[in-house]
């Protein structure tokens, strides 16, 4: 029996085959177990000798099983390593370097221009409350001007800010004039998209407040911006417009010369105006409620808000605002800047 078992074990090619042999010889109904049971009828002397012999056979089989198991495992591991061998000499795949989105590039450039004019850049929440987005900007509930800004409402009564103007009020609530700030950021509008309208886009808000600030200062700031963006020959035009939070209100246009054709035209870039007294009052009222002094009764200020994507479209001749956020790499790669 021993020779037979050892031969089988040597021939076993897998762990499963080995297990099967083990059961057949050493299992409950295995041949060796049977042989132990068959000793019952023998007389004591014979039984002792037979028992010792069978124990030796058992040990020999167990040892052979163990050794063969180790061999098979080693062979399997070697085969697996061979199968999964990595060719470390293969050249790697180069990762494409990321770059800033074209809207971010323009926004950075704009913020830079205004920093050089002494403005400080601040940011505010995209999930706004109705008070800062509308009421404090002289747009009471049911005022028809609310139609100018189709709004995404959040379930908890907040909204996605429809412009960066709410930061005018937030900033004034917490700061004392004089100051000049710009507010870059995302805004959202619940409107049908088309070539010039997206549901999400970026604005840059500007606010300058102090004694004796006039519309001429506004025009000067916008002219400096236009020259920085479009060159020394850039021109700016203000034309009357209406926004509830400024009086007078204007739209500003930039004279832009197409570098390819040499032709120029007026392009609308944003809204602006002199801060409306109702906005100063809303800020002062909020300050008073918070235990702060009223500081906006003897100052004037100007504010502006411009569309960042529009500026990029003018600069690069991009025909459709929807290209910006459709994640087409062929579009985005045209504006590389690491
Ligand atoms: C405003 O949002 C005012 N808050 C601007 C302002 C600020 C006026 C301070 C006075 C004082 P308006 O809705 O016109 O205004 O938007 C400003 C600019 O954002 C537009 O001139 C345009 O350049 C851009 N814009 C407006 N709607 C969209 C849109 N759906 N997609 C892309 N750009 C847009």
């Amino acid at each position: 029996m021993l020779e037979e078992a050892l031969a089988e074990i040597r021939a076993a090619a897998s762990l499963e085959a080995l297990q099967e042999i083990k059961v057949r010889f050493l299992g409950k109904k295995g041949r060796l177990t049977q042989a132990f049971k068959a000793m019952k009828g023998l007389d004591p002397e014979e039984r002792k000798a037979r028992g010792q012999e069978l124990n030796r056979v058992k040990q020999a089989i167990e040892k052979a099983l163990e050794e063969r198991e180790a061999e098979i495992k080693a062979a399997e591991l070697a085969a697996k390593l061979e199968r999964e061998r990595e060719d470390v000499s293969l050249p790697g795949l180069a990762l494409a370097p990321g770059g800033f989105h074209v809207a971010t590039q323009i926004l950075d450039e704009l913020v830079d221009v205004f920093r050089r004019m002494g403005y400080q850049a601040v940011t505010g929440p995209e999930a706004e409350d109705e008070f800062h987005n509308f009421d404090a900007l002289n747009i009471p509930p049911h005022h028809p001007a609310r139609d100018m800004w189709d709004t995404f409402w959040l379930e908890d009564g907040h909204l996605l800010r429809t412009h960066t103007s709410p930061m005018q009020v937030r900033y004034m609530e917490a700061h004392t004039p004089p100051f000049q700030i710009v507010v870059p950021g995302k805004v959202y509008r619940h409107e049908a998209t088309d070539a010039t309208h997206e549901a999400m886009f970026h604005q840059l808000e500007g606010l300058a407040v102090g004694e004796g600030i006039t519309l001429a200062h506004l025009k000067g700031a916008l002219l400096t911006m236009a020259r920085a963006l479009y060159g020394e020959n850039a021109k700016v035009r203000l034309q009357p417009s209406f926004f509830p939070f400024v009086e007078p209100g204007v739209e500003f246009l930039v004279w832009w010369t197409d570098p390819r054709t040499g032709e120029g035209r007026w392009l609308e870039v944003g809204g602006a105006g002199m801060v409306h007294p109702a906005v100063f009052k809303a800020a002062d009222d909020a300050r008073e409620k918070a235990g702060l002094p009223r500081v906006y009764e003897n100052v004037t200020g100007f504010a502006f808000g411009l569309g960042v994507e529009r500026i990029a479209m003018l600069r690069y001749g991009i025909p459709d605002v929807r290209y910006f956020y459709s994640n087409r790499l062929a579009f985005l790669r045209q504006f590389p800047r690491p």
Side-chain angles (χ1 to χ4, degrees), residues 148-149 162-165 168 189 191 196-203 205-206 243 245-246 250 268-273 303-310 321:
M148 288 167 74
W149 296 280
T162 58
H163 48 182
T164 41
S165 299
Q168 290 186 26
R189 296 203 187 164
E191 54 189 332
T196 51
H197 295 87
E198 251 297 2
M200 188 283 291
F201 59 100
H202 293 79
Q203 286 191 340
E205 191 83 9
F243 299 93
F245 36 94
V246 285
V250 298
E268 189 213 311
V269 172
F304 61 85
L306 55 86
V308 174
E309 285 77 6
R310 292 260 166 99
V321 71

Side-chain angles (χ1 to χ4, degrees), residues 82-257:
E82 184 61 34
R83 243 191 347 266
E84 297 175 2
R85 180 190 289 269
E86 301 281 354
D87 180 356
V88 293
S89 69
L90 206 63
L93 299 176
L95 276 182
F100 286 106
H101 191 279
V102 54
T104 306
Q105 295 180 30
I106 296 278
L107 208 45
D108 285 353
E109 198 176 325
L110 280 168
V111 166
D112 227 54
V113 168
F114 282 100
R115 278 221 182 96
R116 275 180 266 147
M117 285 191 254
Y119 286 67
Q120 198 192 336
V122 297
T123 55
E126 289 172 30
E128 245 315 347
D129 53 47
E130 201 173 340
F131 174 74
H132 289 96
N133 197 85
F134 290 125
D135 302 66
L137 291 171
N138 199 24
I139 317 169
H142 312 301
H143 190 287
R146 285 212 179 184
D147 292 348
M148 288 167 74
W149 296 280
D150 294 305
T151 310
F152 286 112
W153 291 92
L154 303 178
E155 278 175 5
D156 67 355
H158 280 70
L159 50 83
L160 295 180
R161 66 178 176 192
T162 58
H163 48 182
T164 41
S165 299
M167 256 316 269
Q168 290 186 26
V169 183
R170 282 190 181 277
Y171 193 85
M172 287 196 278
E173 282 170 1
H175 297 84
T176 304
F179 57 75
Q180 312 176 81
I181 57 164
V182 282
V183 187
K186 291 188 170 67
V187 302
Y188 302 84
R189 296 203 187 164
H190 192 342
E191 54 189 332
T193 60
D194 63 27
T196 51
H197 295 87
E198 251 297 2
M200 188 283 291
F201 59 100
H202 293 79
Q203 286 191 340
L204 183 79
E205 191 83 9
L207 176 67
V209 178
E211 276 176 39
I213 291 195
T214 69
L215 204 65
H217 293 117
L218 168 66
K219 192 166 180 183
L222 295 176
L223 184 60
T224 306
M225 176 195 79
R227 285 184 176 155
L229 284 175
Y230 299 112
E232 276 308 303
N233 297 326
K235 283 178 281 190
V236 169
R237 188 168 87 192
L238 305 184
Q239 64 191 29
S241 185
F242 174 74
F243 299 93
F245 36 94
V246 285
E247 178 57 39
V250 298
E251 228 164 46
F252 60 98
L253 302 89
V254 172
W255 180 256
W256 179 74
T257 311

